[in-house]
């Protein structure tokens, strides 16, 4: 994109339970970001209820849109293009985002750049740091636990992933077993902030062979069997330790095997204080976003959208029928189909 082509992007993220919008200028960088969390709605059910997510997105999107424009003294016609999370995620949530984006695209005659949610998480780190290629990217969120070798923009190789639950899912399901609220990661952290020097209970070690793979379901089963045996404080502490130890062990393996010099750790679980502490002990240059960019947000979506737009990859108003939200499209498939 040349300097004459100053563009303003509106990023739209509705893949799960957070409704988020952001404005990103190709000239000035991130302008503003706004988010409405639904955590208090889903808490009642101990987890996410997809139908409720999409209803909330429908209610929130226009309110957030006008609030974002108002507080930045902008009008809809100032937006040059849209950047939208199209996969993976809850299908109804993705469809609400896609309908909102399509409406704006028609009304304003502006293009839509499709973005993959995992890709957006990986690039969330670029909102604050410049990271040289190649780097390893650990994506640890509520739906994903994957390690990619990132060779360049749109050149991603998956080198390891979870065989069962995602790390965030392990926090969320574990918290319910421990009598704590959804979302589990922040609830576990808050609970532990009142204690010090807790006893460590030995959890089993997942993935004993030499694969670069994650598995959290055994830790959850051990937790379920232990709730009536050990004191709650020691169990909460040890469960978090077990999750973090497992992530660190597999990362060490990935670092050693690839010989890559830089690591980014992104996604909701990257907000975890204990994990952030332990990551600093790894023998690698490690980049972790600020907490607000670890969990779902639209700033990361607008950043990736701006990169992709500069390569001329977008759907014009006349191509909107090609916009195809998909609940479980992998990052590699997405890049093949579009990138
Ligand atoms: O990236 P994210 O906002 O949404 C997905 O794409 O899934 O991640 C949400 C997940 C939830 O499972 C939540 O429990 C976890 O991230 N999480 C945390 C923390 N904050 C959020 N896990 C551990 N410690 C935290 N501080
Ligand atoms: Zn996410």
């Amino acid at each position: 994109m040349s300097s004459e082509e100053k563009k303003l992007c509106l990023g739209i993220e509705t893949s799960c339970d957070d409704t988020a919008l952001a404005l990103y200028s190709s000239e000035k960088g991130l302008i503003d970001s706004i988010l409405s969390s639904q955590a208090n709605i889903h808490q009642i059910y101990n987890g996410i209820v997809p139908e409720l997510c999409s209803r909330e997105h429908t209610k929130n999107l226009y309110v957030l849109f006008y609030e974002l424009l108002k507080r930045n003294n902008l009008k809809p016609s100032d937006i040059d293009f849209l950047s939208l999370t199209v996969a993976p995620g809850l299908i109804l949530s993705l469809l609400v985002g896609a309908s909102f984006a399509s409406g704006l695209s028609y009304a304003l005659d502006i293009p839509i750049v499709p973005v993959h949610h995992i890709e957006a998480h990986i690039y969330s780190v670029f909102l604050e740091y410049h990271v040289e290629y190649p780097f390893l990217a650990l994506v640890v969120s509520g739906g994903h636990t994957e390690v990619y070798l990132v060779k360049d923009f749109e050149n991603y190789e998956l080198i390891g992933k979870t065989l069962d639950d995602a790390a965030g899912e392990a926090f969320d399901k574990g918290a319910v077993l421990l009598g704590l609220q959804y979302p589990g990661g922040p609830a576990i952290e808050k609970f532990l902030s009142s204690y010090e020097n807790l006893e460590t209970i030995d959890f089993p070690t997942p993935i004993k062979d030499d694969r670069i793979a994650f598995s959290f379901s055994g830790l959850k089963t051990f937790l379920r069997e232990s709730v009536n045996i050990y004191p709650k404080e020691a169990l909460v502490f040890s469960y978090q330790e077990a999750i973090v130890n497992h992530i660190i062990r597999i990362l060490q393996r990935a670092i050693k095997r690839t010989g890559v010099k830089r690591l980014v750790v992104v996604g909701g679980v990257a907000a975890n204080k204990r994990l952030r502490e332990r990551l600093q002990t790894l023998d690698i240059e490690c980049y972790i976003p600020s907490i607000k960019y670890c969990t779902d947000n639209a700033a990361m979506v607008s950043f990736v959208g701006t990169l992709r737009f500069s390569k001329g990859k977008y759907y014009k108003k006349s191509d909107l029928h090609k916009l195809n939200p998909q609940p479980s499209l992998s990052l590699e498939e997405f890049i093949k189909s579009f990138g």
Side-chain angles (χ1 to χ4, degrees), residues 16 18 117 121 140-144 168-169 171-172 182-186 189 267-269 271-273 294-296:
C16 193
D18 289 313
H117 187 68
H121 271 302
V140 267
S141 69
H144 300 269
E169 206 178 346
F171 273 106
D172 295 339
Y182 173 86
E189 261 191 351
V269 179
N272 185 265
K273 285 199 201 82
C294 289
T295 44
D296 285 350

Side-chain angles (χ1 to χ4, degrees), residues 65-125:
F65 178 57
Y66 285 108
E67 167 66 23
L68 186 65
L69 291 180
K70 193 173 150 206
R71 72 190 193 192
N72 289 285
N73 288 319
L74 291 166
K75 44 190 190 314
S77 58
D78 292 323
I79 299 166
D80 296 299
F81 66 95
L82 306 167
S83 171
L84 171 74
T85 303
V86 294
L90 301 170
I91 188 61
L92 290 177
S93 292
L94 292 168
L95 283 169
V96 174
S99 312
F100 173 74
S102 302
L104 285 183
S105 169
Y106 266 106
L108 302 169
D109 196 8
I110 53 175
I112 302 180
V113 184
V115 169
H116 191 278
H117 187 68
I118 297 292
E119 185 183 34
H121 271 302
I122 294 174
Y123 281 86
S124 63
V125 92

Side-chain angles (χ1 to χ4, degrees), residues 299-332:
M300 62 187 190
V301 179
S302 62
F303 180 84
V304 173
T306 300
L307 279 183
R308 181 154 293 131
F309 183 85
S310 72
K311 296 188 146 208
K313 294 176 180 174
Y314 48 76
Y315 295 127
K316 288 182 291 198
K317 184 175 155 182
S318 54
D319 297 330
L320 283 188
H321 57 282
K322 294 183 189 158
L323 195 65
N324 186 15
Q326 293 193 54
S328 54
L329 187 73
S330 73
L331 180 52
E332 290 96 326

Side-chain angles (χ1 to χ4, degrees), residues 84-282:
L84 171 74
T85 303
V86 294
L90 301 170
I91 188 61
L92 290 177
S93 292
L94 292 168
L95 283 169
V96 174
S99 312
F100 173 74
S102 302
L104 285 183
S105 169
Y106 266 106
L108 302 169
D109 196 8
I110 53 175
I112 302 180
V113 184
V115 169
H116 191 278
H117 187 68
I118 297 292
E119 185 183 34
H121 271 302
I122 294 174
Y123 281 86
S124 63
V125 92
F126 283 75
L127 291 163
E128 298 168 298
Y129 305 98
H130 176 73
V131 187
E132 297 283 332
Y133 296 103
F135 59 85
L136 285 177
L138 170 70
V139 184
V140 267
S141 69
H144 300 269
T145 298
E146 288 156 16
V147 184
Y148 290 88
L149 173 59
V150 180
K151 297 172 194 163
D152 204 343
F153 179 57
E154 298 184 337
N155 188 347
Y156 315 119
E157 185 189 340
L158 178 66
I159 61 166
K161 63 176 185 171
T162 182
L163 305 179
D164 41 60
D165 291 347
E169 206 178 346
F171 273 106
D172 295 339
K173 290 178 176 171
V176 173
L177 293 171
L178 289 159
L180 300 172
Q181 269 190 324
Y182 173 86
I188 284 176
E189 261 191 351
K190 188 165 169 238
F191 178 84
L192 288 175
S193 65
S194 318
Y195 299 94
E196 268 176 26
N197 303 323
L198 290 166
E199 172 203 354
T200 311
I201 299 152
D202 280 338
F203 272 67
T205 303
I207 313 287
K208 291 218 181 66
D209 57 29
D210 65 354
R211 277 173 298 172
I212 299 176
F214 300 89
S215 170
F216 297 96
S217 63
L219 300 181
K220 189 185 60 193
T221 304
F222 184 85
L223 178 68
R224 181 180 293 119
E225 288 165 357
S226 307
V227 276
N228 295 321
I229 303 174
Y230 299 103
K232 179 168 171 175
E233 307 79 67
L235 257 187
V236 178
F237 171 72
S238 307
Y239 184 59
Q240 174 177 264
E241 283 299 290
I243 294 173
V244 171
N245 283 341
H246 178 43
I247 294 172
I248 295 289
R249 225 179 92 244
I250 303 303
L251 266 184
Q252 279 168 331
R253 201 173 274 177
I255 292 166
K256 197 166 167 205
R257 215 163 291 167
T258 57
V260 171
K261 303 273 182 287
R262 288 161 293 272
L263 166 72
V264 310
V265 181
V266 296
V269 179
N272 185 265
K273 285 199 201 82
R274 185 67 180 132
L275 177 62
R276 293 169 87 93
E277 255 170 44
R278 294 287 307 281
L279 286 167
Q280 300 309 330
T281 66
L282 288 173

